[in-house]
Amino acid sequence: MKEVLREKVEKAIEELYREKPEGFKIEKPKEEKFGDYSTNAAFLLAKPLRKSPSVIAEELSRFLAEDSMFEKISPERGFINFSLSKDFLIKELESLITEGEDYFREDLGKGRKVQVEFVSANPTGPLHLGHGRGAVVGDTISRLLEFYNYEVVREFYINDAGRQVYVLGVSIFYRYLQLFGKEREYPEIEKLFEEEGYKGEYVKELAVTLKEVLGEALLGQSLEEALEKLLSADFPFELNYLNRLEELDSVKLCSSFGLDAMLHEIKRDLEGIGIDFDVWFSERSLYERGLVEELIEKLKEKGYIYESEGAVWLKASELGDDKDRVVRKSDGSYTYFASDIAYHYEKFRREFDRVINVWGADHHGYIPRLKAVLKALEIPEEWLEVYLIQMVRLFKGGKEVKMSKRAGNFVTLSSLVEEIGQDAVRFVFLTKRSDTPLDVDVNRLKEKSSDNPVFYVQYAHARISGVFREYEKRYSESVENIPVDFLKHLWEEAEFKLVKKLLGMKDELVSATLKREPHAITYLLIETAGLFHNYYNHHRILGMDEEVMKSRLLLLKALRIFIKLGLKLIGVNAPDRM
RNA sequence: GGGCCCGUAGCUCAGAUGGAUAGAGCAGGGGAUUUCUAAUCCCCAGGUCGGAGGUUCGAGUCCUCCCGGGCCCGCCA
């Protein structure tokens, strides 16, 4: 809508003044008396034309008034205010109803390839609420991009190479030893576990499983037998890591088994909120293919690598970061940053036009160093977008449910899904801008009332469907068969207010997509649902004169198209009855 | 000490590249149901946009400083 207006204004300016002003705005005035849209174009023309804004506004208004799109154009103190004509609005509404959700679609992406990397949680424990929020944000960004014709790849980066995976193995092995009362016989294992081990219940459960399948096999020297037993046992998941185990050692055996088990659990948790990744990218594979070394070599050739104190450093400070960063430690092992360099170069090689990372906010310090690498590799900075997700706190009846990582108990994503359901979880994670902390009140989300925004929106959809059902029952005719021609019988102010809001949603959706602000969708939905409930409470539909009834049914149909689309874009169901 | 984010109604939060009298939901007060779903709606009240300067026709929005809160600042991931 704004684009259409912009073109008209531009054209008028060109014909009247032969000027091409840039950066003028088309906006929705807050007050109705200023019309449906307005522009500040006259202000910007005042200087080059050496005329007062109000004179320019008047001249432009007179020129544009011919257009049948407008009911009225009024210049006011330099602003130009547009009111859309009913004919125009009805014609647009007609297209909305005939085209369905495609009405809102636009070819923003032109098929360009975008990768969205999100969650990427360490496979050393179950997903918690923060991961869940990142998952929903990443998935919703993906859905929005897909809707606008981008080719999206959803990717999960598996940190299966570093020390954390080893610590997972130690933790499982330690718990396993405990089951036999033998932990004292392995002092290094015990020490490492006490200091850094994963202490959650799930580790104990894995140990119990190992005991059930293997008996004492991991205690003695019968590791080959243990591996064989595990591989031939019946698990609900594949043993990809265990199958590729190179070095036979109890901790590594435990960590490989743990990886397989945790990844399976993570996938299941994500499925529980309707998220499916296209690519599960293994960090380890970067090392196996020699990419990490290759990239460090590449950076070295460009002169950005040096050695000091036995470690290998990137001259990040020359590239916009505040200090230099270690890529290879003095003990010869690589930092997480090193594989990240390789990973992002790998993304670049895969020819994505754009790469979007959704990270936990605690990673914000990594952005400058990653951008530094891009600069060194001569990859344009805009190629990589990073969005940060702030933490989620859980409240029950006004009291915070604390989570403590050290004690190993945290609120898992799956437990929240179990409690309030997939729809509520997805919705609530989008009720705030993602870079600010979010408080989730479980009790409120279980309520079935207008206090609960999920129900409020879904109910609007169900209510419209209910009206349609009743119409079909009473008149033995489907709403689908009502000709759009009946729209011309809409006449009430309230109805046109709704229509304008609805048509404006096209701009709003585009803006939410370009700004990568998935939370905006929930606000748009709540607003639309509110307008509908309001309208519904003041206007009868069934039983009115045929013309009025059918025009209103069509209006409801248009509303339902948008609500359904909005819900689809955030991955929430649109029920026909509740 | 340095960096990032934040500070808007009692509470939770919206406010696109600066635009006209700053919005919504909850909580509080008052009302609406012979109905197509009251799982809903309407009205009222509530504000020095943390503070002070600056930029300009115009600042919640941009700049500087200060106050307050969160997160980060490792040869951890």
Side-chain angles (χ1 to χ4, degrees):
Chain A
M1 193 77 73
K2 289 184 183 175
E3 265 323 294
V4 177
L5 274 166
R6 173 177 297 279
E7 279 166 29
K8 300 212 169 191
V9 174
E10 258 173 20
K11 220 171 174 182
I13 292 168
E14 236 180 274
E15 295 204 15
L16 270 179
Y17 307 117
R18 303 185 173 199
E19 282 279 341
K20 258 199 136 172
E22 289 195 12
F24 69 87
K25 291 204 316 199
I26 304 285
E27 56 189 355
K28 277 203 231 172
K30 285 172 204 156
E31 293 209 40
E32 275 174 52
K33 67 174 181 190
F34 295 130
D36 302 318
Y37 291 91
S38 73
T39 179
N40 62 346
F43 287 97
L44 301 173
L45 285 165
K47 223 171 229 172
L49 292 177
R50 280 179 294 172
K51 272 184 178 178
S52 85
S54 52
V55 170
I56 297 170
E58 271 168 43
E59 290 173 349
L60 279 171
S61 299
R62 224 172 299 135
F63 185 89
L64 283 160
E66 308 290 308
D67 201 307
S68 67
M69 178 174 176
F70 309 112
E71 170 94 27
K72 196 177 80 184
I73 298 185
S74 49
E76 195 140 355
R77 281 188 289 156
F79 288 97
I80 303 171
N81 300 326
F82 304 95
S83 301
L84 301 174
S85 71
K86 294 194 173 173
D87 285 350
F88 174 77
L89 291 170
I90 284 172
K91 228 171 57 201
E92 283 292 307
L93 195 58
E94 243 179 69
S95 342
L96 196 170
I97 290 166
T98 15
E99 293 169 33
E101 66 172 39
D102 287 341
Y103 174 80
F104 295 96
R105 200 169 241 136
E106 248 176 83
D107 190 8
L108 297 177
K110 306 200 162 59
R112 276 182 299 225
K113 276 179 75 181
V114 177
Q115 185 221 37
V116 184
E117 183 214 321
F118 54 109
V119 187
S120 297
N122 275 336
T124 51
L127 299 179
H128 59 244
L129 297 186
H131 295 131
R133 189 181 187 190
V136 171
V137 168
D139 186 56
T140 304
I141 289 177
S142 303
R143 284 168 190 252
L144 287 168
L145 291 171
E146 278 168 346
F147 184 71
Y148 288 106
N149 194 28
Y150 289 86
E151 194 189 317
V152 177
V153 172
R154 292 172 176 75
E155 191 151 323
F156 187 115
Y157 181 58
I158 311 167
N159 297 126
D160 53 7
R163 180 173 172 79
Q164 296 309 313
V165 173
Y166 183 75
V167 174
L168 174 68
V170 166
S171 307
I172 297 171
F173 188 48
Y174 177 81
R175 291 300 193 194
Y176 173 84
L177 292 171
Q178 264 187 332
L179 294 172
F180 297 95
K182 303 238 172 175
E183 69 274 19
R184 284 294 142 86
E185 293 170 25
Y186 295 77
E188 309 91 52
I189 297 286
E190 188 174 27
K191 184 161 173 273
L192 192 57
F193 177 80
E194 293 297 341
E195 285 169 0
E196 306 177 46
Y198 294 103
K199 308 202 171 58
E201 275 308 305
Y202 63 95
V203 177
K204 286 187 195 166
E205 284 161 23
L206 288 176
V208 169
T209 306
L210 283 180
K211 185 187 171 190
E212 278 165 8
V213 178
L214 300 178
E216 298 188 355
L218 281 183
L219 294 175
Q221 296 307 310
S222 43
L223 288 177
E224 267 173 54
E225 187 195 323
L227 180 61
E228 232 163 85
K229 265 191 186 167
L230 272 178
L231 290 176
S232 56
D234 194 21
F235 291 108
F237 47 87
E238 287 177 33
L239 297 170
N240 296 323
Y241 285 96
L242 214 50
N243 257 317
R244 290 189 303 160
L245 190 63
E246 284 163 6
E247 206 180 326
L248 215 46
D249 138 314
S250 354
V251 170
K252 289 203 168 138
L253 196 142
C254 284
S255 69
S256 293
F257 176 72
L259 267 179
D260 284 323
M262 287 330 304
L263 274 173
H264 173 253
E265 191 169 322
I266 286 171
K267 280 181 197 182
R268 219 185 35 204
D269 287 356
L270 289 167
E271 273 166 28
I273 48 171
I275 292 173
D276 191 18
F277 282 87
D278 303 303
V279 176
W280 293 78
F281 196 98
S282 154
E283 177 187 9
R284 202 183 282 180
S285 73
L286 293 166
Y287 287 101
E288 287 165 356
R289 289 156 58 200
L291 263 178
V292 178
E293 312 233 355
E294 184 187 323
L295 260 292
I296 290 176
E297 200 47 45
K298 199 177 176 85
L299 288 167
K300 196 174 191 171
E301 281 164 22
K302 291 176 182 285
Y304 291 116
I305 294 285
Y306 67 93
E307 289 193 32
S308 170
E309 303 165 60
V312 178
W313 300 71
L314 175 81
K315 286 185 191 169
S317 60
E318 285 182 14
L319 297 157
D321 197 3
D322 32 301
K323 25 178 133 156
D324 291 350
R325 306 290 176 180
V326 171
V327 291
R328 200 177 131 194
K329 301 179 241 179
S330 51
D331 67 2
S333 65
Y334 292 96
T335 60
Y336 178 81
F337 180 43
S339 49
D340 240 16
I341 294 172
Y343 181 38
H344 282 83
Y345 191 68
E346 170 68 10
K347 290 184 184 185
F348 186 69
R349 279 220 283 232
R350 284 199 272 158
E351 297 185 325
F352 289 110
D353 295 294
R354 190 57 63 103
V355 160
I356 295 174
N357 288 358
V358 178
W359 281 352
D362 52 340
H363 286 67
H364 78 250
Y366 290 83
I367 300 174
R369 82 184 65 164
L370 204 53
K371 294 268 180 183
V373 171
L374 296 185
K375 203 183 239 180
L377 295 171
E378 292 162 59
I379 298 170
E381 200 186 338
E382 326 79 69
W383 177 77
L384 171 71
E385 297 174 21
V386 182
Y387 297 99
L388 300 177
I389 307 294
Q390 280 287 358
M391 54 189 277
V392 178
R393 292 191 303 172
L394 192 68
F395 287 78
K396 255 180 205 172
K399 261 188 154 170
E400 182 176 1
V401 183
K402 282 268 185 189
M403 49 187 222
S404 143
K405 214 168 185 178
R406 210 176 324 139
N409 56 41
F410 34 55
V411 185
T412 59
L413 175 62
S414 58
S415 67
L416 184 65
V417 174
E418 210 171 290
E419 199 160 0
I420 64 175
Q422 169 179 346
D423 286 346
V425 167
R426 289 197 66 124
F427 198 97
V428 75
F429 281 151
L430 295 173
T431 50
K432 255 188 98 166
R433 253 191 14 231
S434 46
D435 63 354
T436 52
L438 173 73
D439 292 342
V440 173
D441 185 338
V442 175
N443 293 351
R444 193 171 146 204
L445 290 166
K446 282 158 98 174
E447 276 176 41
K448 299 191 170 180
S449 74
S450 58
D451 291 2
N452 180 349
V454 194
F455 277 85
Y456 185 76
V457 173
Q458 287 184 321
Y459 179 49
H461 187 271
R463 222 177 190 184
I464 294 174
S465 299
V467 174
F468 288 179
R469 267 196 305 279
E470 185 64 22
Y471 171 78
E472 281 159 24
K473 204 169 88 193
R474 284 198 207 171
Y475 298 89
S476 313
E477 190 197 18
S478 166
V479 171
E480 296 308 313
N481 295 331
I482 300 173
V484 285
D485 199 40
F486 275 94
L487 280 174
K488 65 175 182 237
H489 300 293
L490 286 175
W491 58 281
E492 287 211 29
E493 256 341 283
E495 286 159 352
F496 281 96
K497 221 172 124 182
L498 254 176
V499 171
K500 286 172 186 174
K501 198 80 207 172
L502 198 50
L503 297 177
M505 289 300 168
K506 190 169 176 177
D507 290 332
E508 302 287 350
L509 288 179
V510 168
S511 152
T513 304
L514 293 178
K515 283 156 57 191
R516 323 285 191 232
E517 287 184 343
H519 79 280
I521 311 295
T522 58
Y523 281 84
L524 299 179
L525 282 169
I526 291 168
E527 194 182 352
T528 308
L531 285 170
F532 162 70
H533 286 309
N534 178 320
Y535 178 76
Y536 179 87
N537 267 270
H538 292 95
H539 299 267
R540 282 208 63 77
I541 295 153
L542 302 186
M544 304 290 286
D545 292 346
E546 188 190 3
E547 293 177 344
V548 173
M549 172 170 72
K550 289 192 171 171
S551 69
R552 290 180 176 177
L553 283 167
L554 286 171
L555 177 59
L556 260 55
K557 193 174 164 190
L559 275 166
R560 194 174 68 164
I561 289 168
F562 173 75
I563 294 173
K564 190 171 190 171
L565 172 63
L567 287 171
K568 187 178 102 178
L569 287 172
I570 61 174
V572 173
N573 288 299
D576 285 318
R577 50 179 97 225
M578 291 173 75

